[in-house]
Amino acid sequence: MTPKEKAQELVNTYFHIIDNAHPLTDIMVSAKQCALIAVNEIISNRLRIPGIDKLYWRNVKQHIEQL
């Protein structure tokens, strides 16, 4: 996947979450969904990013899910 395609994929994913959220009640749910997408991106690409600690990001993911 090219950087341009990845950028479009991420924007579309976040847009879908935000577009379907009720502005007064779903803010935290939407924020958590977006944060989890970002963390999953980091975890799934960790082998290509030097210095990324998978355990750290799995712990971050667990804490996001508990919020």
Side-chain angles (χ1 to χ4, degrees), residues 6-33:
K6 187 59 163 179
Q8 188 64 56
E9 176 188 71
L10 288 169
V11 168
N12 289 343
T13 300
Y14 288 117
F15 180 84
H16 177 72
I17 290 169
I18 294 166
D19 189 45
N20 289 322
H22 184 279
L24 298 177
T25 59
D26 294 338
I27 294 170
M28 183 58 129
V29 172
S30 298
K32 284 173 61 174
Q33 288 175 329

Side-chain angles (χ1 to χ4, degrees), residues 49-61:
I49 304 172
I52 295 298
D53 180 50
K54 189 174 183 176
L55 179 59
Y56 172 82
W57 287 106
R58 284 188 177 166
N59 286 327
V60 171
K61 183 176 177 177

